[in-house]
Amino acid sequence: MDRTKDGPQYRLKFDDKIILLNNKKFKLLKYIDECGSITKAAKKGNIPYRSALKYIEELEKESNRSIVSTQRGGKGGGGESKLTINGKSILKEYRKVESILNMHEDVNEIETNILDIDEKNRIANIKLNNENVVLPLRGDFTVGDRVLVLISPEDIFVMLEPQTSSVRNIFRGKIIGMELKDHLVRLNVKIGDITLFADITEYSREQLELTLGKDIYIGFKAAAIAMVKI
């Protein structure tokens, strides 16, 4: 993921090519698909018409595929336009990334590299500080890829002592923040150089006697982790 003046720009693998897609380009393709017109799509997305044409040209150059099919009209950019099969595929891939990123209003984000891949069991290993994290291998990843790992605060377990269970990723940390959020207690837990937040009920907080500065253990199942290549 790169940061540009138009917001985050994601690298999507399209066949054997890498294309760069941000929210503006996504909206342009989405509105072309809905409106059947580049002019109308640009207007709806608040994108200058020349910029819209430039975005399409960039995507077609990066993918080496036709993205938009247009039947020319009169002056001023008229005519009927529609996404090609390739254009619809790009739209679909971006929506998949977007759905992962929006899976929770607040989500823990960790940027890291894939250290090892077990192809037989379809799992990958990354590092959280100096600890190993196991997560399922969903998608096309290779060793060394830079990835964004996403963990919902509701999927993090809080323990006073590490326990033997199906939770393979367990780490020791310290509570450095605590607040009431949406009827849940949000804990900010410091793990080395990384801070993760976890949501628990007030009942659980009372039962565990959690207070600021208390040492605890947190854990999360491998299946609760989403990973996006950046």
Side-chain angles (χ1 to χ4, degrees), residues 112-130:
T112 186
N113 293 87
I114 295 179
L115 298 179
D116 183 55
I117 290 177
D118 182 343
E119 290 287 357
K120 181 180 178 181
N121 295 305
R122 297 300 294 167
I123 59 174
N125 289 284
I126 62 170
K127 282 290 185 183
L128 176 58
N129 289 326
N130 294 319

Side-chain angles (χ1 to χ4, degrees), residues 191-207:
I191 305 172
D193 297 328
I194 296 175
T195 299
L196 298 179
F197 48 90
D199 290 342
I200 63 172
T201 63
E202 174 61 19
Y203 176 78
S204 295
R205 189 200 66 77
E206 290 178 352
Q207 291 296 304

Side-chain angles (χ1 to χ4, degrees), residues 11-224:
R11 300 171 186 269
L12 302 181
K13 188 170 183 180
F14 186 65
D15 292 334
D16 59 340
K17 306 291 183 180
I18 299 295
I19 64 172
L20 302 177
L21 198 65
N22 56 27
N23 193 47
K24 277 198 172 183
K25 291 178 182 178
F26 164 70
K27 284 185 176 179
L28 177 64
L29 296 183
K30 175 185 175 183
Y31 294 147
I32 289 174
D33 198 37
E34 292 176 359
C35 302
S37 164
I38 296 176
T39 303
K40 292 178 181 178
K43 185 176 181 180
K44 190 172 182 179
N46 196 28
I47 302 170
Y49 182 73
R50 288 187 178 180
S51 295
L53 294 180
K54 181 181 177 183
Y55 290 159
I56 294 170
E57 182 182 356
E58 289 174 350
L59 290 171
E60 292 187 332
K61 183 177 180 180
E62 290 167 0
S63 66
N64 196 28
R65 300 284 193 280
S66 174
I67 302 300
V68 178
S69 174
T70 300
Q71 291 183 348
R72 299 295 179 184
K75 296 182 178 180
E80 181 182 357
S81 299
K82 62 181 181 179
L83 296 184
T84 63
I85 294 176
N86 298 311
K88 288 181 180 290
S89 295
I90 291 174
L91 201 61
K92 178 182 176 182
E93 288 302 309
Y94 186 88
R95 279 176 170 148
K96 285 163 61 176
V97 172
E98 188 181 48
S99 67
I100 293 174
L101 295 176
N102 292 332
M103 69 178 182
H104 197 282
E105 180 182 0
D106 295 316
V107 64
N108 290 291
E109 299 183 8
I110 305 168
E111 287 193 28
T112 186
N113 293 87
I114 295 179
L115 298 179
D116 183 55
I117 290 177
D118 182 343
E119 290 287 357
K120 181 180 178 181
N121 295 305
R122 297 300 294 167
I123 59 174
N125 289 284
I126 62 170
K127 282 290 185 183
L128 176 58
N129 289 326
N130 294 319
E131 301 289 341
N132 200 45
V133 176
V134 178
L135 64 162
L137 192 62
R138 305 186 186 102
D140 184 17
F141 295 94
T142 58
V143 174
D145 280 347
R146 190 71 176 168
V147 294
L148 183 66
V149 176
L150 309 172
I151 311 169
S152 170
E154 295 180 355
D155 288 328
I156 295 179
F157 299 87
V158 177
M159 302 162 279
L160 297 181
E161 296 291 340
Q163 302 173 7
T164 302
S165 70
S166 60
V167 180
R168 298 182 61 182
N169 301 302
I170 298 177
F171 309 97
R172 184 174 182 176
K174 183 186 293 290
I175 299 175
I176 62 171
M178 187 181 300
E179 64 175 328
L180 188 64
K181 185 177 178 66
D182 297 330
H183 308 294
L184 293 172
V185 178
R186 169 151 298 179
L187 305 176
N188 289 286
V189 183
K190 187 76 170 176
I191 305 172
D193 297 328
I194 296 175
T195 299
L196 298 179
F197 48 90
D199 290 342
I200 63 172
T201 63
E202 174 61 19
Y203 176 78
S204 295
R205 189 200 66 77
E206 290 178 352
Q207 291 296 304
L208 295 173
E209 298 180 346
L210 301 181
T211 57
L212 286 176
K214 188 162 188 170
D215 290 326
I216 61 171
Y217 289 85
I218 67 168
F220 43 86
K221 294 181 179 180

